[in-house]
Amino acid sequence: IFLNRSLLQYGDDYSVGAFSVVHKVTFIFVTLVMGINQGMQPIAGYNYGARQFGRVIEVLKLAILWATVAMTAGWIVCEFFPRLAALIFTTDERMLSEIVRGMRINSYIFPLIGSQMVISNFFQSIAKPWKAIFLSLSRQFLFLLPLLLILPRFWGIDGVWYSLPASDLISCITGFVLLAMQIKTFKKIDN
């Protein structure tokens, strides 16, 4: 709701339509990461319960690797073939232009987003629901909403588009910090 309002306030109907297409293309790659998460979750959970923290870290590394590969593929599509992806949805030149611009901006940090999603799911796997909930909500609410209120005031519609990768970046950094703390805990328990 807030994103669509910002797109309408600082842009127009084309901006809202462009975001819809950008979101659909993005979701293809996000779905791949969701599948990776579903494969990782029982393995991480089982090994966490068995106190096999080395195995937990190994499955986490593999999941992050493959999530990064999936989202990097998304980045390649959005950066190098955005018009081709957009042509699946429309042939309107003005809409295509807005979609291409939005897709390129939105995908700036795609390779990192996969790891953030895996880290969030990882905390769910090891019975740390509050960390998982925090990471899941931080990306869309805690960071995105304030950025949607601040950035467009300075950069208009570009600020709306840039608020998406900016919130993703802050969320990724937050996820890596929480993960580093958790791995340190694993190492203390192992010793």
Side-chain angles (χ1 to χ4, degrees):
I1 293 170
F2 290 104
L3 187 57
N4 283 341
R5 275 191 72 157
S6 295
L7 288 166
L8 278 173
Q9 181 180 354
Y10 295 98
D12 54 22
D13 291 338
Y14 283 92
S15 302
V16 174
F19 176 74
S20 182
V21 171
V22 168
H23 182 69
K24 284 178 180 27
V25 171
T26 299
F27 199 70
I28 292 167
F29 300 98
V30 167
T31 302
L32 294 172
V33 176
M34 290 167 66
I36 292 165
N37 278 335
Q38 287 180 345
M40 176 207 59
Q41 194 169 19
I43 299 167
Y46 175 83
N47 284 295
Y48 178 76
R51 301 181 66 80
Q52 296 291 321
F53 301 125
R55 289 181 180 176
V56 173
I57 292 170
E58 281 304 309
V59 75
L60 174 66
K61 286 179 184 177
L62 278 172
I64 288 174
L65 170 70
W66 287 108
T68 301
V69 167
M71 292 308 292
T72 300
W75 176 81
I76 289 168
V77 168
C78 292
E79 288 296 320
F80 298 108
F81 308 105
R83 186 172 171 82
L84 189 61
L87 281 168
I88 296 169
F89 299 93
T90 186
T91 56
D92 180 277
E93 282 302 320
R94 184 169 172 215
M95 181 65 83
L96 285 169
S97 173
E98 188 72 19
I99 292 168
V100 166
R101 186 165 143 264
M103 208 175 287
R104 284 191 169 135
I105 293 171
N106 187 51
S107 69
Y108 279 163
I109 65 157
F110 266 18
L112 293 177
I113 293 172
S115 59
Q116 191 275 346
M117 291 173 62
V118 168
I119 292 167
S120 175
N121 192 266
F122 172 73
F123 283 117
Q124 183 181 348
S125 303
I126 63 166
K128 306 285 185 208
W130 292 112
K131 289 180 182 179
I133 290 168
F134 173 75
L135 286 176
S136 292
L137 295 178
S138 68
R139 187 168 162 222
Q140 297 297 323
F141 294 105
L142 185 62
F143 303 130
L144 181 60
L145 292 180
L147 288 168
L148 280 172
L149 294 172
I150 297 167
L151 297 184
R153 292 180 185 207
F154 297 101
W155 296 291
I157 190 66
D158 285 344
V160 176
W161 284 113
Y162 282 111
S163 66
L164 296 163
S167 69
D168 288 337
L169 179 61
I170 297 167
S171 184
C172 288
I173 292 167
T174 304
F176 283 122
V177 168
L178 289 175
L179 180 62
M181 291 166 50
Q182 186 62 50
I183 289 174
K184 191 182 279 189
T185 302
F186 285 160
K187 289 181 180 176
K188 282 181 186 174
I189 293 170
D190 270 348
N191 291 333

